[in-house]
């Protein structure tokens, strides 16, 4: 009974218990927007760095598989054979002891195929990913990732 007398005597207290005011909601939304504006760009820049690291790790694994192929067969896969010989036996390879990859040849983190050339311009073979933009050159995420 005392409670109902309190609300009847103080109608402002009764209205305050039902929710937030428009001003309070706007202040919270502004704070959330400021935090998102500060944290968002830093978070998304880390995603790009992780894709580059993933591409380097994939290229390292592909390089090890290519080297294992060479030890077994006696030569590196030709450009025409490509990386598919790491998974499927080529018709002329008698000493092939693969598959050298557990799964099929992966695409780079941006969904593009790795470019393989043997003999390479920078070594016995060249392995290249053109980065996020899929074109030669560029910087940052768009830069080329190579095995040399």
């Amino acid at each position: 009974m005392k409670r109902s007398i309190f609300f009847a005597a103080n109608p402002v207290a009764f209205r305050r218990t039902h929710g937030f005011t428009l001003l309070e909601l706007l202040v919270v939304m502004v704070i959330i927007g400021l935090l998102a504006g500060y944290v968002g760009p830093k978070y998304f820049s880390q995603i790009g760095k992780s894709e580059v690291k993933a591409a380097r790790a994939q290229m390292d694994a592909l390089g090890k598989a290519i080297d294992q192929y060479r030890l077994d067969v006696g030569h590196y896969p030709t450009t025409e054979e490509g990386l598919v010989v790491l998974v499927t036996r080529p018709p002329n390879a008698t000493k092939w002891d693969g598959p050298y990859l557990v799964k099929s040849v992966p695409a780079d983190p941006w969904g593009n195929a790795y470019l393989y050339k043997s003999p390479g311009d920078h070594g016995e073979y060249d392995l290249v990913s053109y980065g996020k933009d899929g074109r030669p050159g560029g910087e940052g995420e768009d830069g080329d990732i190579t095995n040399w």
Side-chain angles (χ1 to χ4, degrees), residues 10 26 32 36 47 53 69 71 80-81 92-93 102 117-118 128 144-145:
N10 191 355
L26 288 174
I32 290 172
I47 291 175
K53 288 180 182 177
Y69 175 92
L71 289 173
E80 293 76 27
E81 291 174 329
N92 59 350
V102 177
K117 181 180 177 185
S118 176
V128 180
D144 298 347
I145 302 162

Side-chain angles (χ1 to χ4, degrees), residues 7-126:
F7 287 124
N10 191 355
V12 173
F14 179 71
R15 276 187 267 139
R16 293 286 296 163
T17 61
H18 276 95
F20 299 104
T21 65
L22 180 60
L23 182 61
E24 290 170 330
L25 290 174
L26 288 174
V27 168
V28 169
M29 289 176 66
V30 166
I31 291 171
I32 290 172
L34 289 172
L35 287 173
Y38 178 72
V39 173
K42 292 184 184 254
Y43 172 74
F44 287 113
S45 71
Q46 294 301 318
I47 291 175
K49 290 179 185 175
S50 67
E51 288 173 331
V52 170
K53 288 180 182 177
R56 290 189 195 284
Q58 283 180 334
M59 289 180 74
D60 183 50
L62 287 172
K64 289 177 181 175
I66 292 168
D67 290 338
Q68 186 63 45
Y69 175 92
R70 181 190 165 276
L71 289 173
D72 289 347
V73 177
H75 60 84
Y76 287 108
T78 64
T79 303
E80 293 76 27
E81 291 174 329
L83 297 175
V84 73
V85 298
L86 300 176
V87 180
T88 308
R89 176 190 295 272
N92 59 350
T94 57
K95 297 180 184 177
W96 189 86
D97 193 28
Y100 300 97
L101 296 173
V102 177
K103 298 179 181 177
S104 63
V105 178
D108 69 11
W110 301 280
N112 302 316
Y114 287 101
L115 301 174
Y116 174 78
K117 181 180 177 185
S118 176
D121 297 328
H122 303 278
E124 301 219 22
Y125 65 89
D126 291 348

